[in-house]
Amino acid sequence: MKLAFIIDPIHQLDPCHDTSVALMEAAQILGHEIWVTQANLLSVVDSKAWATLQQVELIPVQLVEGRWIAANPWYKLSASSFTSLDAMDAVFMRTDPPVNDSYLYATYVLDYIDLNKTLVVNSPSGIRGANEKMYALQFTNAIPETIVSADKDFIRQFLEAKGAAIIKPLGNKAGEGILFLEPGDRNFNSIVELSTLRGRLPVMVQTYLPKAKEGDKRIILLNGEPIGALNRLSSGSDFRNNMATGGTVAQTTITPREYEICTELADTLRQDGLIFVGIDVIGGYLTEVNVTSPTGIREIDRLDGTRLGDQVISWIEQTLKN
């Protein structure tokens, strides 16, 4: 197969952490061609999606004494070529958020891929329709008590009723801009003004889940089925558990309650073309559905001795055969 990955500039990726690299490595080991491009290198010509692509050869990371070790350099790029994305067997949209104008326009270009020839992971329309905070709201049996609003008074009422809450910008990633709120906080007005741009942007406000101190679980789903999980723990100096904010990771299992949540999401994810997804669960509650460039494979593989990338690429192979 020929697989194209739309990623951030490859020199910015961390081969010991980035799931995109894990997927590319798995595909290469399984004998497939790997091509890379960026969102700003996509075009539409004669109503078809094209991209400036480079073939990449990777030196896979090695697990040494419980740590991933990468070669330096760890990749080699070919000369670039302007190629129709219909020539690819699958295209992975793996550009990191924020989902800004550039990101959205890239998904519009991907709409012009012929889906009879090429599989797109994840669906461009699915990504556009699935804000990673808002998408979870439709699964009412799975989420904690949540509001979305830009109204300071409404947010204050919710906070006072719940005792403590988390405020989340709708467009950020990796824990950026997430704040902890308590009733009586003298900074409340400033926090809400900054988060909502003085009432111009809505934010998500969720009741605080005390079990967050025990970790924030990331579960990877492939076509609606859970294939692996890890627990993220705060550094102690930050209430957030995200790896990007200094959190650590620990081995974990998927509980019966978490399987129930995955089952509740599965049909909707498949219907929306969201094939590779990472959900976040705290204390048995769904808090986010990550669809743009979910990560966690490297950490799960290291902790559990798995090769989740192989499972993903094998699923792609089987799907394209059917």
Side-chain angles (χ1 to χ4, degrees):
M1 296 190 302
K2 291 184 176 182
L3 306 179
F5 287 78
I6 304 165
I7 54 175
D8 295 313
I10 192 168
H11 69 271
Q12 296 179 8
L13 302 188
D14 179 354
C16 297
H17 167 69
D18 278 290
T19 287
S20 296
V21 182
L23 293 171
M24 290 190 289
E25 274 185 16
Q28 177 178 286
I29 290 168
L30 290 171
H32 306 301
E33 288 185 18
I34 312 304
W35 297 77
V36 294
T37 188
Q38 296 166 210
N40 63 314
L41 300 177
L42 304 179
S43 303
V44 176
V45 179
D46 294 329
S47 298
K48 296 291 183 183
W50 290 65
T52 299
L53 292 163
Q54 291 178 280
Q55 191 170 358
V56 62
E57 294 182 21
L58 306 170
I59 300 174
V61 297
Q62 301 294 320
L63 191 60
V64 179
E65 296 181 352
R67 295 178 56 217
W68 292 118
I69 303 296
N72 184 19
W74 56 272
Y75 66 89
K76 179 181 178 182
L77 292 171
S78 70
S80 60
S81 62
F82 192 57
T83 305
S84 169
L85 289 176
D86 287 352
M88 298 291 120
D89 294 287
V91 172
F92 288 78
M93 179 56 171
R94 294 282 307 171
T95 301
D96 274 347
V99 180
N100 52 19
D101 286 349
S102 173
Y103 193 105
L104 288 173
Y105 294 157
T107 69
Y108 292 138
V109 173
L110 297 181
D111 282 336
Y112 287 90
I113 292 175
D114 185 345
L115 298 182
N116 293 316
K117 298 178 180 177
T118 305
L119 177 67
V120 183
V121 182
N122 285 317
S123 160
S125 61
I127 293 172
R128 286 196 298 272
N131 175 275
E132 296 187 330
K133 308 295 190 297
M134 296 287 289
Y135 192 79
L137 298 181
Q138 63 190 295
F139 306 106
T140 54
N141 294 325
I143 62 171
E145 293 182 86
T146 303
I147 63 169
V148 175
S149 179
D151 187 295
K152 187 188 300 180
D153 292 334
F154 187 38
I155 294 171
R156 186 190 299 275
Q157 291 170 16
F158 181 85
L159 175 61
E160 291 176 350
K162 304 309 171 189
I166 299 296
I167 188 168
K168 299 179 179 181
L170 296 179
N172 288 1
K173 65 176 177 67
E176 295 169 353
I178 296 179
L179 300 167
F180 176 76
L181 294 175
E182 289 182 297
D185 189 328
R186 295 170 62 185
N187 295 306
F188 174 84
N189 286 334
S190 292
I191 288 171
V192 175
E193 288 165 6
L194 289 168
S195 296
T196 65
L197 300 183
R198 292 187 173 274
R200 293 193 296 274
L201 285 180
V203 291
M204 173 173 281
V205 187
Q206 287 183 330
T207 185
Y208 175 68
L209 299 170
K211 283 196 174 273
K213 295 175 182 177
E214 300 174 12
D216 180 343
K217 193 173 291 189
R218 164 61 54 86
I219 302 174
I220 301 295
L221 283 77
L222 175 61
N223 197 36
E225 299 292 332
I227 61 172
L230 63 91
N231 198 28
R232 298 171 296 182
L233 300 160
S234 73
S235 62
S237 60
D238 195 320
F239 74 93
R240 297 169 297 176
N241 295 315
N242 305 76
M243 289 181 280
T245 61
T248 58
V249 297
Q251 191 173 30
T252 191
T253 58
I254 302 172
T255 68
R257 166 61 178 160
E258 290 158 356
Y259 275 112
E260 288 178 6
I261 293 172
C262 294
T263 299
E264 184 176 347
L265 271 62
D267 286 345
T268 304
L269 294 175
R270 294 184 191 115
Q271 176 182 312
D272 292 341
L274 299 173
I275 295 165
F276 187 76
V277 170
I279 65 170
D280 296 339
V281 180
I282 297 175
Y285 289 98
L286 174 70
T287 59
E288 290 188 21
V289 181
N290 298 272
V291 303
T292 50
S293 58
T295 193
I297 276 187
R298 282 294 198 220
E299 290 72 23
I300 296 170
D301 284 352
R302 175 172 62 82
L303 293 167
D304 292 349
T306 51
R307 292 192 60 87
L308 297 188
D310 289 3
Q311 291 187 45
V312 175
I313 301 304
S314 295
W315 184 89
I316 299 291
E317 291 173 340
Q318 192 59 44
T319 299
L320 292 175
K321 286 178 182 176
N322 294 338

